[in-house]
Amino acid sequence: MAERIIPLTGAANVRDLGGYQNKAGQFVRFKKVVRGAAISDLTAEDANHLEAYGIVKVVDFRSSKEQEKAPDALIPQAENIFLPIFQENQKVSAAPKTLMEQVEAGLDAAQQMREVYRQFVQAAYSRQAYRQFVDILLENEQPDQGVLFHCTAGKDRTGFGAALILAMLDVDQETILQNYLETNQQMVTKRAEMLQQAQQAGASEAMLKGIQEVMQADQSYLAESFATIGKEYGDVSGYLQKGLGLSKRDLTDFRKLYTMVD
């Protein structure tokens, strides 16, 4: 089986969603949909590698402030689509810098994270953004062409997006969680660098704890999204059809595009 992790010099946590088996025994296709952290520091070699991998669209889930500070490096032949998951004036933010500012102001980091994951489901703007993302994926019909989607750490907005895709493909919850938590292995170096910088700057123990909570993929965070789906829509199927407005035909087409029998 092909490797899911795509090794790049200038970007972390870049992973293919291919290879997972769903409840019907089908496998998610490789080189069709790739998740990642920020790609602003891609080297020319990285960009060429992603082009050769088949990436033809890049979907950026970040805020305009994040995008302006660190614009995506361009991948040859790829279309860049700016699709922020949260409104600019929305109180809840998944941007790591904003979350850290909130922690510095005394807010509980874990509580903030769980609220972010509730808002992925509850906020009409976020639901519309994820629906647009699904529409982009439904247009991705060529077998040798793929979509890369990312935020800053490739953990929260991207993590929920990956969970959504795998749920649509009828992959079981344990596997979805496994994919989500893998971010912790992929971002070890980045997290250590942030903690070291904070310690050198004289950050308090509370601040260091907050950095850990903001920068990790925690099972309780994703569980908050699925608990909210259950509360608001009954189950994932209800969320897809009522929350995102997807038809049964959409779901059938999606599975045809993204799964295969081994």
Side-chain angles (χ1 to χ4, degrees), residues 139-227:
E139 293 168 1
N140 181 36
E141 295 179 344
Q142 298 302 318
D144 58 345
Q145 294 184 347
V147 174
L148 184 154
F149 66 103
H150 77 93
C151 50
T152 294
K155 177 177 72 76
D156 305 312
R157 292 161 287 190
T158 296
F160 181 74
L164 171 62
I165 291 166
L166 294 175
M168 287 180 67
L169 297 176
D170 206 27
V171 172
D172 66 83
Q173 284 288 317
E174 186 177 336
T175 302
I176 290 172
L177 179 61
Q178 173 193 331
N179 177 268
Y180 171 73
L181 293 176
E182 193 178 329
T183 282
N184 291 330
Q185 282 76 56
Q186 297 300 315
M187 298 297 281
V188 167
T189 303
K190 183 67 175 175
R191 200 160 55 244
E193 287 173 358
M194 287 188 69
L195 285 167
Q196 185 179 26
Q197 288 169 3
Q199 283 175 322
Q200 289 172 348
S204 66
E205 284 300 314
M207 187 65 179
L208 293 173
K209 180 174 180 284
I211 290 172
Q212 286 275 28
E213 290 175 332
V214 165
M215 288 303 295
Q216 72 178 351
D218 190 286
Q219 182 172 346
S220 71
Y221 301 164
L222 189 60
E224 199 71 36
S225 290
F226 282 101

Side-chain angles (χ1 to χ4, degrees), residues 8-229:
L8 301 171
T9 303
N13 205 14
V14 180
R15 295 183 270 140
D16 199 310
L17 289 185
Y20 291 112
Q21 190 171 20
N22 69 10
K23 296 170 190 173
Q26 301 162 315
F27 289 86
V28 180
R29 293 179 186 273
F30 274 97
K31 297 191 174 184
K32 287 293 291 173
V33 60
V34 174
R35 58 177 292 174
I39 61 167
S40 52
D41 294 328
L42 291 181
T43 65
E45 187 179 351
D46 290 337
N48 290 334
H49 180 56
L50 289 170
E51 180 192 20
Y53 200 81
I55 299 302
V56 295
K57 288 185 180 179
V58 175
V59 181
D60 184 352
F61 284 162
R62 299 176 301 165
S63 68
S64 59
K65 285 183 181 177
E66 290 172 285
Q67 188 196 47
E68 286 164 14
K69 185 178 178 183
D72 282 352
L74 299 180
I75 298 168
Q77 312 303 318
E79 176 189 359
N80 286 66
I81 301 167
F82 180 53
L83 186 61
I85 294 299
F86 289 125
Q87 281 179 296
E88 296 298 329
N89 60 353
Q90 196 165 333
K91 184 179 178 183
V92 172
S93 171
K97 184 175 184 294
T98 303
L99 285 164
M100 293 318 307
E101 287 170 354
Q102 292 169 340
V103 171
E104 206 165 9
L107 296 175
D108 182 272
Q111 285 184 15
Q112 288 296 108
M113 293 306 304
R114 285 191 279 274
E115 178 59 24
V116 164
Y117 279 75
R118 282 193 292 273
Q119 288 301 308
F120 289 149
V121 179
Q122 290 180 330
Y125 185 94
S126 299
R127 289 198 306 275
Q128 181 60 31
Y130 280 117
R131 169 58 200 260
Q132 284 179 250
F133 177 50
V134 172
D135 287 340
I136 291 165
L137 294 176
L138 281 168
E139 293 168 1
N140 181 36
E141 295 179 344
Q142 298 302 318
D144 58 345
Q145 294 184 347
V147 174
L148 184 154
F149 66 103
H150 77 93
C151 50
T152 294
K155 177 177 72 76
D156 305 312
R157 292 161 287 190
T158 296
F160 181 74
L164 171 62
I165 291 166
L166 294 175
M168 287 180 67
L169 297 176
D170 206 27
V171 172
D172 66 83
Q173 284 288 317
E174 186 177 336
T175 302
I176 290 172
L177 179 61
Q178 173 193 331
N179 177 268
Y180 171 73
L181 293 176
E182 193 178 329
T183 282
N184 291 330
Q185 282 76 56
Q186 297 300 315
M187 298 297 281
V188 167
T189 303
K190 183 67 175 175
R191 200 160 55 244
E193 287 173 358
M194 287 188 69
L195 285 167
Q196 185 179 26
Q197 288 169 3
Q199 283 175 322
Q200 289 172 348
S204 66
E205 284 300 314
M207 187 65 179
L208 293 173
K209 180 174 180 284
I211 290 172
Q212 286 275 28
E213 290 175 332
V214 165
M215 288 303 295
Q216 72 178 351
D218 190 286
Q219 182 172 346
S220 71
Y221 301 164
L222 189 60
E224 199 71 36
S225 290
F226 282 101
T228 306
I229 284 172

